[in-house]
Amino acid sequence: MPTGRRSRLHKVFVTRDLPGDGLRRLRDEAGVDLWPGGMPPPRAALLEGVRDADGLLCLLTDTVDAALLDHAQRLRVVSTMAAGYDNIDVGAATAHNVLVTNTPGVLTETTADLTFALLLAAARRLPESERAIRDGRWTTWSPAFLLGRDIHGATLGIVGLGEIGQAVARRARGFGMRILYTSRTPKPEVERKLGCSPVTFDELLAQSDFVTVHVPLTPQTRHMFDAKAFDRMKQTAIFVNTSRGAVVVEADLQRALASESIAAAAIDVAETEPVAKDDPLLRLSNLLVTPHIGSASVATRARMADMAVDNLLAALDGRQPPNCVNPQVWAARPMSSDGSTA
Ligand code: GLV
């Protein structure tokens, strides 16, 4: 039920249909304008959608920038159904007093599962093996056919030991791997608990058999995997990325794979998504690529949608959203004379 503070039915623009029953709950509480179909709204439709909206529920495919915020005079909250929010100019939102919320935590284990699936698949050359059978190239058991790399006993380098990095480390322990990590902040307790050793970025690149990335995309992490980084990696190394495509200079990754200066890569993300059918990356047999499905399990996507709706409704209802990335907007909100929020 709408609370007393909701003086009119708030208007919310939702940029895609959502899994689970979050949208039904949202419709009970707000006037929902849902962008139809399976593709993101084009820019003009997004601008039109937010023009007189109080809330925006968006996905990582929607760009929320200063121009959009200028245009959305009534907007109070942008709720993204994702942990990463690099598609949103949070500084501009803060300047416009617009709350930005995300869905961290619920996708941690699911994303770590996919990271490990990619690592295992690349190490044991599963896509090539499958193609070999379908192409009729499985003629006999052969001592040197499709040899891959062992995971047990190998060294895993985790770049970014946040929640997802730690969940990957837990899996790696079960596989008997040695674990190195780099992180913005030292994590001595996690180190002890998960048996991870801190190293410099260069040491991690030089020593790891597998390098996996779990950093948010920021100006500091953008393009951190460039030609220099790939050159430092072992020739037998496998690179895994389930974070954001733009942490990698894709042309440099392509060169490293084509020249076999690293053995293979498995990526769930690309700088430009979707990857075009004729992208040169797709010609590489030592690259495994999936279409940004890190959090794509039935249960997790429903939880993310629920969380995005909860964040949005809290903000519209004048309650502090549970997952706010710019809490200074909340702290600075105007108070009415009875001490409640406007
Ligand atoms: C997915 O990439 C997310 O950030 O939730």
Side-chain angles (χ1 to χ4, degrees), residues 5-6 10 54-56 75-79 97-101 307-324 326 329-330 333 341-342:
R5 279 196 203 120
R6 226 182 269 132
H10 290 298
D54 305 284
L56 169 66
L75 199 65
R76 285 160 53 188
V77 55
V78 174
S79 168
N97 288 317
V98 172
L99 293 161
V100 178
T101 67
M307 212 166 159
V309 167
D310 289 343
N311 283 327
L312 188 85
L313 287 176
L316 294 180
D317 205 19
R319 291 177 283 114
Q320 181 161 16
N323 303 99
C324 186
N326 57 353
V329 171
W330 175 258
R333 73 202 182 282
T341 51

PDB file of all heavy atoms in Angstrom, residues 5-6 10 54-56 75-79 97-101 307-324 326 329-330 333 341-342:
ATOM      1  N   ARG A   5       3.092   9.433   2.785  1.00  0.00           N
ATOM      2  CA  ARG A   5       3.969  10.429   2.181  1.00  0.00           C
ATOM      3  C   ARG A   5       3.871  10.461   0.662  1.00  0.00           C
ATOM      4  O   ARG A   5       4.292  11.407   0.028  1.00  0.00           O
ATOM      5  CB  ARG A   5       5.415  10.133   2.563  1.00  0.00           C
ATOM      6  CG  ARG A   5       5.726  10.647   3.925  1.00  0.00           C
ATOM      7  CD  ARG A   5       7.211  10.706   4.114  1.00  0.00           C
ATOM      8  NE  ARG A   5       7.432  10.660   5.538  1.00  0.00           N
ATOM      9  CZ  ARG A   5       8.126   9.729   6.129  1.00  0.00           C
ATOM     10  NH1 ARG A   5       8.720   8.788   5.444  1.00  0.00           N
ATOM     11  NH2 ARG A   5       8.254   9.748   7.431  1.00  0.00           N
ATOM     12  N   ARG A   6       3.358   9.375   0.080  1.00  0.00           N
ATOM     13  CA  ARG A   6       3.264   9.364  -1.377  1.00  0.00           C
ATOM     14  C   ARG A   6       2.014  10.118  -1.785  1.00  0.00           C
ATOM     15  O   ARG A   6       0.911   9.589  -1.810  1.00  0.00           O
ATOM     16  CB  ARG A   6       3.222   7.926  -1.874  1.00  0.00           C
ATOM     17  CG  ARG A   6       4.158   7.722  -3.034  1.00  0.00           C
ATOM     18  CD  ARG A   6       4.083   6.330  -3.549  1.00  0.00           C
ATOM     19  NE  ARG A   6       5.050   5.499  -2.886  1.00  0.00           N
ATOM     20  CZ  ARG A   6       4.761   4.310  -2.379  1.00  0.00           C
ATOM     21  NH1 ARG A   6       3.556   3.827  -2.433  1.00  0.00           N
ATOM     22  NH2 ARG A   6       5.695   3.615  -1.804  1.00  0.00           N
ATOM     23  N   HIS A  10       3.321   7.872  -7.921  1.00  0.00           N
ATOM     24  CA  HIS A  10       4.578   8.242  -8.580  1.00  0.00           C
ATOM     25  C   HIS A  10       4.667   7.603  -9.949  1.00  0.00           C
ATOM     26  O   HIS A  10       4.189   6.488 -10.158  1.00  0.00           O
ATOM     27  CB  HIS A  10       5.759   7.783  -7.727  1.00  0.00           C
ATOM     28  CG  HIS A  10       5.892   8.577  -6.472  1.00  0.00           C
ATOM     29  ND1 HIS A  10       6.128   9.921  -6.489  1.00  0.00           N
ATOM     30  CD2 HIS A  10       5.827   8.206  -5.179  1.00  0.00           C
ATOM     31  CE1 HIS A  10       6.212  10.356  -5.244  1.00  0.00           C
ATOM     32  NE2 HIS A  10       6.014   9.334  -4.430  1.00  0.00           N
ATOM     33  N   ASP A  54       9.323  10.200 -11.785  1.00  0.00           N
ATOM     34  CA  ASP A  54       9.935  10.382 -10.463  1.00  0.00           C
ATOM     35  C   ASP A  54      11.060   9.382 -10.249  1.00  0.00           C
ATOM     36  O   ASP A  54      11.980   9.611  -9.468  1.00  0.00           O
ATOM     37  CB  ASP A  54       8.879  10.171  -9.364  1.00  0.00           C
ATOM     38  CG  ASP A  54       7.678  11.069  -9.563  1.00  0.00           C
ATOM     39  OD1 ASP A  54       7.811  12.267  -9.263  1.00  0.00           O
ATOM     40  OD2 ASP A  54       6.638  10.582 -10.048  1.00  0.00           O
ATOM     41  N   GLY A  55      10.930   8.222 -10.913  1.00  0.00           N
ATOM     42  CA  GLY A  55      11.936   7.184 -10.750  1.00  0.00           C
ATOM     43  C   GLY A  55      12.252   6.527 -12.074  1.00  0.00           C
ATOM     44  O   GLY A  55      11.396   6.453 -12.965  1.00  0.00           O
ATOM     45  N   LEU A  56      13.480   6.063 -12.192  1.00  0.00           N
ATOM     46  CA  LEU A  56      13.900   5.312 -13.378  1.00  0.00           C
ATOM     47  C   LEU A  56      14.447   3.980 -12.912  1.00  0.00           C
ATOM     48  O   LEU A  56      15.321   3.941 -12.027  1.00  0.00           O
ATOM     49  CB  LEU A  56      14.996   6.091 -14.128  1.00  0.00           C
ATOM     50  CG  LEU A  56      15.727   5.327 -15.241  1.00  0.00           C
ATOM     51  CD1 LEU A  56      14.781   4.993 -16.393  1.00  0.00           C
ATOM     52  CD2 LEU A  56      16.912   6.158 -15.776  1.00  0.00           C
ATOM     53  N   LEU A  75      12.962  13.744 -11.555  1.00  0.00           N
ATOM     54  CA  LEU A  75      13.590  12.464 -11.188  1.00  0.00           C
ATOM     55  C   LEU A  75      14.232  12.531  -9.802  1.00  0.00           C
ATOM     56  O   LEU A  75      14.982  13.451  -9.492  1.00  0.00           O
ATOM     57  CB  LEU A  75      14.652  12.105 -12.242  1.00  0.00           C
ATOM     58  CG  LEU A  75      15.082  10.645 -12.283  1.00  0.00           C
ATOM     59  CD1 LEU A  75      13.907   9.753 -12.717  1.00  0.00           C
ATOM     60  CD2 LEU A  75      16.240  10.464 -13.271  1.00  0.00           C
ATOM     61  N   ARG A  76      13.909  11.536  -8.971  1.00  0.00           N
ATOM     62  CA  ARG A  76      14.488  11.480  -7.618  1.00  0.00           C
ATOM     63  C   ARG A  76      15.379  10.276  -7.424  1.00  0.00           C
ATOM     64  O   ARG A  76      16.214  10.243  -6.529  1.00  0.00           O
ATOM     65  CB  ARG A  76      13.356  11.461  -6.588  1.00  0.00           C
ATOM     66  CG  ARG A  76      12.733  12.843  -6.450  1.00  0.00           C
ATOM     67  CD  ARG A  76      11.363  12.790  -5.851  1.00  0.00           C
ATOM     68  NE  ARG A  76      11.340  12.045  -4.596  1.00  0.00           N
ATOM     69  CZ  ARG A  76      10.221  11.728  -3.941  1.00  0.00           C
ATOM     70  NH1 ARG A  76       9.068  12.100  -4.431  1.00  0.00           N
ATOM     71  NH2 ARG A  76      10.274  11.060  -2.808  1.00  0.00           N
ATOM     72  N   VAL A  77      15.184   9.248  -8.241  1.00  0.00           N
ATOM     73  CA  VAL A  77      15.974   8.033  -8.034  1.00  0.00           C
ATOM     74  C   VAL A  77      16.205   7.306  -9.360  1.00  0.00           C
ATOM     75  O   VAL A  77      15.309   7.215 -10.192  1.00  0.00           O
ATOM     76  CB  VAL A  77      15.289   7.098  -6.990  1.00  0.00           C
ATOM     77  CG1 VAL A  77      13.869   6.760  -7.377  1.00  0.00           C
ATOM     78  CG2 VAL A  77      16.096   5.815  -6.775  1.00  0.00           C
ATOM     79  N   VAL A  78      17.444   6.830  -9.504  1.00  0.00           N
ATOM     80  CA  VAL A  78      17.788   5.932 -10.602  1.00  0.00           C
ATOM     81  C   VAL A  78      18.191   4.609  -9.965  1.00  0.00           C
ATOM     82  O   VAL A  78      19.158   4.546  -9.209  1.00  0.00           O
ATOM     83  CB  VAL A  78      18.978   6.486 -11.439  1.00  0.00           C
ATOM     84  CG1 VAL A  78      19.422   5.460 -12.483  1.00  0.00           C
ATOM     85  CG2 VAL A  78      18.605   7.814 -12.094  1.00  0.00           C
ATOM     86  N   SER A  79      17.396   3.587 -10.229  1.00  0.00           N
ATOM     87  CA  SER A  79      17.665   2.275  -9.640  1.00  0.00           C
ATOM     88  C   SER A  79      18.117   1.356 -10.762  1.00  0.00           C
ATOM     89  O   SER A  79      17.347   1.069 -11.685  1.00  0.00           O
ATOM     90  CB  SER A  79      16.376   1.751  -8.996  1.00  0.00           C
ATOM     91  OG  SER A  79      16.523   0.390  -8.667  1.00  0.00           O
ATOM     92  N   ASN A  97      20.830  15.965  -7.148  1.00  0.00           N
ATOM     93  CA  ASN A  97      20.094  15.412  -5.987  1.00  0.00           C
ATOM     94  C   ASN A  97      19.277  14.183  -6.339  1.00  0.00           C
ATOM     95  O   ASN A  97      18.166  13.992  -5.824  1.00  0.00           O
ATOM     96  CB  ASN A  97      19.157  16.462  -5.362  1.00  0.00           C
ATOM     97  CG  ASN A  97      19.955  17.501  -4.626  1.00  0.00           C
ATOM     98  OD1 ASN A  97      20.903  17.146  -3.908  1.00  0.00           O
ATOM     99  ND2 ASN A  97      19.612  18.755  -4.828  1.00  0.00           N
ATOM    100  N   VAL A  98      19.807  13.381  -7.211  1.00  0.00           N
ATOM    101  CA  VAL A  98      19.116  12.140  -7.604  1.00  0.00           C
ATOM    102  C   VAL A  98      19.847  10.965  -6.948  1.00  0.00           C
ATOM    103  O   VAL A  98      21.067  10.814  -7.088  1.00  0.00           O
ATOM    104  CB  VAL A  98      19.110  11.985  -9.145  1.00  0.00           C
ATOM    105  CG1 VAL A  98      18.570  10.618  -9.550  1.00  0.00           C
ATOM    106  CG2 VAL A  98      18.279  13.103  -9.775  1.00  0.00           C
ATOM    107  N   LEU A  99      19.085  10.144  -6.225  1.00  0.00           N
ATOM    108  CA  LEU A  99      19.678   8.955  -5.603  1.00  0.00           C
ATOM    109  C   LEU A  99      19.982   7.915  -6.676  1.00  0.00           C
ATOM    110  O   LEU A  99      19.200   7.742  -7.615  1.00  0.00           O
ATOM    111  CB  LEU A  99      18.694   8.349  -4.602  1.00  0.00           C
ATOM    112  CG  LEU A  99      18.378   9.188  -3.359  1.00  0.00           C
ATOM    113  CD1 LEU A  99      17.074   8.707  -2.714  1.00  0.00           C
ATOM    114  CD2 LEU A  99      19.530   9.084  -2.348  1.00  0.00           C
ATOM    115  N   VAL A 100      21.105   7.235  -6.518  1.00  0.00           N
ATOM    116  CA  VAL A 100      21.444   6.128  -7.419  1.00  0.00           C
ATOM    117  C   VAL A 100      21.567   4.863  -6.570  1.00  0.00           C
ATOM    118  O   VAL A 100      22.250   4.867  -5.540  1.00  0.00           O
ATOM    119  CB  VAL A 100      22.780   6.386  -8.161  1.00  0.00           C
ATOM    120  CG1 VAL A 100      23.143   5.198  -9.056  1.00  0.00           C
ATOM    121  CG2 VAL A 100      22.699   7.677  -8.979  1.00  0.00           C
ATOM    122  N   THR A 101      20.877   3.808  -6.996  1.00  0.00           N
ATOM    123  CA  THR A 101      20.926   2.557  -6.235  1.00  0.00           C
ATOM    124  C   THR A 101      21.312   1.412  -7.161  1.00  0.00           C
ATOM    125  O   THR A 101      21.100   1.478  -8.373  1.00  0.00           O
ATOM    126  CB  THR A 101      19.560   2.252  -5.579  1.00  0.00           C
ATOM    127  OG1 THR A 101      18.606   1.975  -6.605  1.00  0.00           O
ATOM    128  CG2 THR A 101      19.071   3.398  -4.715  1.00  0.00           C
ATOM    129  N   MET A 307      15.321  -6.529  -5.750  1.00  0.00           N
ATOM    130  CA  MET A 307      16.133  -5.557  -5.027  1.00  0.00           C
ATOM    131  C   MET A 307      16.058  -4.179  -5.689  1.00  0.00           C
ATOM    132  O   MET A 307      15.969  -3.151  -5.013  1.00  0.00           O
ATOM    133  CB  MET A 307      17.580  -6.064  -5.072  1.00  0.00           C
ATOM    134  CG  MET A 307      18.410  -5.740  -3.903  1.00  0.00           C
ATOM    135  SD  MET A 307      19.881  -6.792  -4.044  1.00  0.00           S
ATOM    136  CE  MET A 307      20.932  -5.826  -3.002  1.00  0.00           C
ATOM    137  N   ALA A 308      16.075  -4.179  -7.030  1.00  0.00           N
ATOM    138  CA  ALA A 308      15.989  -2.906  -7.760  1.00  0.00           C
ATOM    139  C   ALA A 308      14.645  -2.234  -7.470  1.00  0.00           C
ATOM    140  O   ALA A 308      14.571  -1.016  -7.279  1.00  0.00           O
ATOM    141  CB  ALA A 308      16.175  -3.141  -9.251  1.00  0.00           C
ATOM    142  N   VAL A 309      13.583  -3.045  -7.399  1.00  0.00           N
ATOM    143  CA  VAL A 309      12.248  -2.497  -7.096  1.00  0.00           C
ATOM    144  C   VAL A 309      12.220  -1.990  -5.656  1.00  0.00           C
ATOM    145  O   VAL A 309      11.711  -0.893  -5.370  1.00  0.00           O
ATOM    146  CB  VAL A 309      11.158  -3.573  -7.350  1.00  0.00           C
ATOM    147  CG1 VAL A 309       9.822  -3.156  -6.751  1.00  0.00           C
ATOM    148  CG2 VAL A 309      11.013  -3.822  -8.850  1.00  0.00           C
ATOM    149  N   ASP A 310      12.768  -2.767  -4.723  1.00  0.00           N
ATOM    150  CA  ASP A 310      12.785  -2.340  -3.316  1.00  0.00           C
ATOM    151  C   ASP A 310      13.531  -1.009  -3.153  1.00  0.00           C
ATOM    152  O   ASP A 310      13.086  -0.113  -2.431  1.00  0.00           O
ATOM    153  CB  ASP A 310      13.458  -3.400  -2.437  1.00  0.00           C
ATOM    154  CG  ASP A 310      12.597  -4.646  -2.291  1.00  0.00           C
ATOM    155  OD1 ASP A 310      11.381  -4.566  -2.589  1.00  0.00           O
ATOM    156  OD2 ASP A 310      13.135  -5.706  -1.902  1.00  0.00           O
ATOM    157  N   ASN A 311      14.674  -0.894  -3.830  1.00  0.00           N
ATOM    158  CA  ASN A 311      15.452   0.350  -3.746  1.00  0.00           C
ATOM    159  C   ASN A 311      14.633   1.529  -4.265  1.00  0.00           C
ATOM    160  O   ASN A 311      14.589   2.598  -3.651  1.00  0.00           O
ATOM    161  CB  ASN A 311      16.732   0.225  -4.592  1.00  0.00           C
ATOM    162  CG  ASN A 311      17.803  -0.612  -3.908  1.00  0.00           C
ATOM    163  OD1 ASN A 311      17.925  -0.622  -2.681  1.00  0.00           O
ATOM    164  ND2 ASN A 311      18.597  -1.319  -4.702  1.00  0.00           N
ATOM    165  N   LEU A 312      13.985   1.298  -5.396  1.00  0.00           N
ATOM    166  CA  LEU A 312      13.221   2.367  -6.037  1.00  0.00           C
ATOM    167  C   LEU A 312      12.052   2.801  -5.152  1.00  0.00           C
ATOM    168  O   LEU A 312      11.828   3.995  -4.914  1.00  0.00           O
ATOM    169  CB  LEU A 312      12.704   1.855  -7.378  1.00  0.00           C
ATOM    170  CG  LEU A 312      12.041   2.873  -8.263  1.00  0.00           C
ATOM    171  CD1 LEU A 312      13.096   3.608  -9.069  1.00  0.00           C
ATOM    172  CD2 LEU A 312      11.065   2.214  -9.216  1.00  0.00           C
ATOM    173  N   LEU A 313      11.306   1.809  -4.652  1.00  0.00           N
ATOM    174  CA  LEU A 313      10.132   2.143  -3.839  1.00  0.00           C
ATOM    175  C   LEU A 313      10.538   2.848  -2.549  1.00  0.00           C
ATOM    176  O   LEU A 313       9.868   3.779  -2.107  1.00  0.00           O
ATOM    177  CB  LEU A 313       9.326   0.874  -3.527  1.00  0.00           C
ATOM    178  CG  LEU A 313       8.535   0.306  -4.723  1.00  0.00           C
ATOM    179  CD1 LEU A 313       7.852  -1.008  -4.341  1.00  0.00           C
ATOM    180  CD2 LEU A 313       7.502   1.323  -5.219  1.00  0.00           C
ATOM    181  N   ALA A 314      11.627   2.399  -1.953  1.00  0.00           N
ATOM    182  CA  ALA A 314      12.088   3.056  -0.713  1.00  0.00           C
ATOM    183  C   ALA A 314      12.356   4.529  -0.995  1.00  0.00           C
ATOM    184  O   ALA A 314      11.895   5.412  -0.259  1.00  0.00           O
ATOM    185  CB  ALA A 314      13.344   2.357  -0.190  1.00  0.00           C
ATOM    186  N   ALA A 315      13.074   4.797  -2.071  1.00  0.00           N
ATOM    187  CA  ALA A 315      13.421   6.197  -2.380  1.00  0.00           C
ATOM    188  C   ALA A 315      12.166   7.033  -2.624  1.00  0.00           C
ATOM    189  O   ALA A 315      12.050   8.154  -2.126  1.00  0.00           O
ATOM    190  CB  ALA A 315      14.338   6.247  -3.594  1.00  0.00           C
ATOM    191  N   LEU A 316      11.199   6.472  -3.371  1.00  0.00           N
ATOM    192  CA  LEU A 316       9.979   7.232  -3.669  1.00  0.00           C
ATOM    193  C   LEU A 316       9.129   7.430  -2.427  1.00  0.00           C
ATOM    194  O   LEU A 316       8.386   8.391  -2.306  1.00  0.00           O
ATOM    195  CB  LEU A 316       9.162   6.518  -4.758  1.00  0.00           C
ATOM    196  CG  LEU A 316       9.825   6.447  -6.135  1.00  0.00           C
ATOM    197  CD1 LEU A 316       8.912   5.716  -7.120  1.00  0.00           C
ATOM    198  CD2 LEU A 316      10.152   7.848  -6.659  1.00  0.00           C
ATOM    199  N   ASP A 317       9.296   6.500  -1.494  1.00  0.00           N
ATOM    200  CA  ASP A 317       8.500   6.504  -0.274  1.00  0.00           C
ATOM    201  C   ASP A 317       9.142   7.373   0.820  1.00  0.00           C
ATOM    202  O   ASP A 317       8.642   7.466   1.931  1.00  0.00           O
ATOM    203  CB  ASP A 317       8.430   5.044   0.206  1.00  0.00           C
ATOM    204  CG  ASP A 317       7.213   4.801   1.047  1.00  0.00           C
ATOM    205  OD1 ASP A 317       6.277   5.599   0.974  1.00  0.00           O
ATOM    206  OD2 ASP A 317       7.235   3.811   1.802  1.00  0.00           O
ATOM    207  N   GLY A 318      10.309   7.949   0.497  1.00  0.00           N
ATOM    208  CA  GLY A 318      10.997   8.782   1.484  1.00  0.00           C
ATOM    209  C   GLY A 318      11.743   7.977   2.530  1.00  0.00           C
ATOM    210  O   GLY A 318      12.080   8.477   3.598  1.00  0.00           O
ATOM    211  N   ARG A 319      11.995   6.691   2.235  1.00  0.00           N
ATOM    212  CA  ARG A 319      12.835   5.881   3.129  1.00  0.00           C
ATOM    213  C   ARG A 319      14.215   5.743   2.496  1.00  0.00           C
ATOM    214  O   ARG A 319      14.333   5.767   1.270  1.00  0.00           O
ATOM    215  CB  ARG A 319      12.226   4.487   3.317  1.00  0.00           C
ATOM    216  CG  ARG A 319      10.937   4.470   4.110  1.00  0.00           C
ATOM    217  CD  ARG A 319      10.356   3.074   4.205  1.00  0.00           C
ATOM    218  NE  ARG A 319       9.688   2.654   2.975  1.00  0.00           N
ATOM    219  CZ  ARG A 319      10.097   1.673   2.183  1.00  0.00           C
ATOM    220  NH1 ARG A 319      11.197   0.996   2.482  1.00  0.00           N
ATOM    221  NH2 ARG A 319       9.439   1.357   1.086  1.00  0.00           N
ATOM    222  N   GLN A 320      15.234   5.541   3.323  1.00  0.00           N
ATOM    223  CA  GLN A 320      16.573   5.413   2.772  1.00  0.00           C
ATOM    224  C   GLN A 320      16.665   4.112   1.962  1.00  0.00           C
ATOM    225  O   GLN A 320      16.408   3.026   2.499  1.00  0.00           O
ATOM    226  CB  GLN A 320      17.625   5.388   3.885  1.00  0.00           C
ATOM    227  CG  GLN A 320      19.040   5.277   3.333  1.00  0.00           C
ATOM    228  CD  GLN A 320      20.106   5.692   4.331  1.00  0.00           C
ATOM    229  OE1 GLN A 320      19.841   5.795   5.529  1.00  0.00           O
ATOM    230  NE2 GLN A 320      21.290   5.932   3.846  1.00  0.00           N
ATOM    231  N   PRO A 321      17.024   4.181   0.689  1.00  0.00           N
ATOM    232  CA  PRO A 321      17.120   2.943  -0.091  1.00  0.00           C
ATOM    233  C   PRO A 321      18.229   2.051   0.475  1.00  0.00           C
ATOM    234  O   PRO A 321      19.294   2.549   0.853  1.00  0.00           O
ATOM    235  CB  PRO A 321      17.483   3.420  -1.496  1.00  0.00           C
ATOM    236  CG  PRO A 321      17.322   4.891  -1.500  1.00  0.00           C
ATOM    237  CD  PRO A 321      17.373   5.370  -0.094  1.00  0.00           C
ATOM    238  N   PRO A 322      17.980   0.749   0.552  1.00  0.00           N
ATOM    239  CA  PRO A 322      18.960  -0.148   1.143  1.00  0.00           C
ATOM    240  C   PRO A 322      20.327  -0.131   0.441  1.00  0.00           C
ATOM    241  O   PRO A 322      21.343  -0.334   1.077  1.00  0.00           O
ATOM    242  CB  PRO A 322      18.324  -1.533   1.006  1.00  0.00           C
ATOM    243  CG  PRO A 322      16.885  -1.322   0.670  1.00  0.00           C
ATOM    244  CD  PRO A 322      16.730   0.068   0.152  1.00  0.00           C
ATOM    245  N   ASN A 323      20.371   0.133  -0.848  1.00  0.00           N
ATOM    246  CA  ASN A 323      21.646   0.050  -1.567  1.00  0.00           C
ATOM    247  C   ASN A 323      21.878   1.307  -2.379  1.00  0.00           C
ATOM    248  O   ASN A 323      21.698   1.326  -3.595  1.00  0.00           O
ATOM    249  CB  ASN A 323      21.662  -1.175  -2.499  1.00  0.00           C
ATOM    250  CG  ASN A 323      21.397  -2.445  -1.731  1.00  0.00           C
ATOM    251  OD1 ASN A 323      20.281  -2.938  -1.715  1.00  0.00           O
ATOM    252  ND2 ASN A 323      22.394  -2.937  -1.044  1.00  0.00           N
ATOM    253  N   CYS A 324      22.294   2.344  -1.680  1.00  0.00           N
ATOM    254  CA  CYS A 324      22.452   3.641  -2.312  1.00  0.00           C
ATOM    255  C   CYS A 324      23.947   3.892  -2.548  1.00  0.00           C
ATOM    256  O   CYS A 324      24.747   3.735  -1.623  1.00  0.00           O
ATOM    257  CB  CYS A 324      21.866   4.710  -1.380  1.00  0.00           C
ATOM    258  SG  CYS A 324      21.851   6.314  -2.132  1.00  0.00           S
ATOM    259  N   ASN A 326      25.191   6.821  -3.708  1.00  0.00           N
ATOM    260  CA  ASN A 326      25.527   8.222  -3.392  1.00  0.00           C
ATOM    261  C   ASN A 326      24.736   8.678  -2.153  1.00  0.00           C
ATOM    262  O   ASN A 326      23.849   9.537  -2.239  1.00  0.00           O
ATOM    263  CB  ASN A 326      25.304   9.154  -4.595  1.00  0.00           C
ATOM    264  CG  ASN A 326      23.883   9.116  -5.132  1.00  0.00           C
ATOM    265  OD1 ASN A 326      23.059   8.295  -4.712  1.00  0.00           O
ATOM    266  ND2 ASN A 326      23.577  10.024  -6.048  1.00  0.00           N
ATOM    267  N   VAL A 329      23.378  12.232  -1.104  1.00  0.00           N
ATOM    268  CA  VAL A 329      22.115  12.822  -1.565  1.00  0.00           C
ATOM    269  C   VAL A 329      21.042  12.588  -0.508  1.00  0.00           C
ATOM    270  O   VAL A 329      20.249  13.473  -0.190  1.00  0.00           O
ATOM    271  CB  VAL A 329      21.680  12.210  -2.921  1.00  0.00           C
ATOM    272  CG1 VAL A 329      20.279  12.652  -3.311  1.00  0.00           C
ATOM    273  CG2 VAL A 329      22.676  12.593  -4.013  1.00  0.00           C
ATOM    274  N   TRP A 330      21.065  11.386   0.065  1.00  0.00           N
ATOM    275  CA  TRP A 330      20.101  11.069   1.126  1.00  0.00           C
ATOM    276  C   TRP A 330      20.345  11.962   2.341  1.00  0.00           C
ATOM    277  O   TRP A 330      19.417  12.565   2.887  1.00  0.00           O
ATOM    278  CB  TRP A 330      20.228   9.589   1.510  1.00  0.00           C
ATOM    279  CG  TRP A 330      19.350   9.252   2.672  1.00  0.00           C
ATOM    280  CD1 TRP A 330      19.730   9.091   3.978  1.00  0.00           C
ATOM    281  CD2 TRP A 330      17.933   9.076   2.646  1.00  0.00           C
ATOM    282  NE1 TRP A 330      18.649   8.830   4.768  1.00  0.00           N
ATOM    283  CE2 TRP A 330      17.529   8.810   3.977  1.00  0.00           C
ATOM    284  CE3 TRP A 330      16.967   9.125   1.637  1.00  0.00           C
ATOM    285  CZ2 TRP A 330      16.196   8.583   4.318  1.00  0.00           C
ATOM    286  CZ3 TRP A 330      15.642   8.905   1.985  1.00  0.00           C
ATOM    287  CH2 TRP A 330      15.276   8.635   3.306  1.00  0.00           C
ATOM    288  N   ARG A 333      19.007  15.497   2.017  1.00  0.00           N
ATOM    289  CA  ARG A 333      17.616  15.699   1.584  1.00  0.00           C
ATOM    290  C   ARG A 333      16.928  16.720   2.485  1.00  0.00           C
ATOM    291  O   ARG A 333      17.222  16.795   3.682  1.00  0.00           O
ATOM    292  CB  ARG A 333      16.856  14.371   1.614  1.00  0.00           C
ATOM    293  CG  ARG A 333      16.532  13.895   3.021  1.00  0.00           C
ATOM    294  CD  ARG A 333      16.291  12.418   3.065  1.00  0.00           C
ATOM    295  NE  ARG A 333      15.928  12.001   4.416  1.00  0.00           N
ATOM    296  CZ  ARG A 333      16.785  11.844   5.413  1.00  0.00           C
ATOM    297  NH1 ARG A 333      18.073  12.119   5.257  1.00  0.00           N
ATOM    298  NH2 ARG A 333      16.356  11.453   6.588  1.00  0.00           N
ATOM    299  N   THR A 341      11.051  13.447   5.823  1.00  0.00           N
ATOM    300  CA  THR A 341      11.651  13.877   4.558  1.00  0.00           C
ATOM    301  C   THR A 341      10.587  14.397   3.618  1.00  0.00           C
ATOM    302  O   THR A 341       9.438  14.002   3.686  1.00  0.00           O
ATOM    303  CB  THR A 341      12.349  12.696   3.873  1.00  0.00           C
ATOM    304  OG1 THR A 341      11.434  11.628   3.809  1.00  0.00           O
ATOM    305  CG2 THR A 341      13.601  12.317   4.603  1.00  0.00           C
ATOM    306  N   ALA A 342      11.023  15.279   2.765  1.00  0.00           N
ATOM    307  CA  ALA A 342      10.068  15.835   1.797  1.00  0.00           C
ATOM    308  C   ALA A 342       9.726  14.798   0.762  1.00  0.00           C
ATOM    309  O   ALA A 342      10.463  13.892   0.529  1.00  0.00           O
ATOM    310  CB  ALA A 342      10.694  17.054   1.130  1.00  0.00           C
TER     311      ALA A 342
END
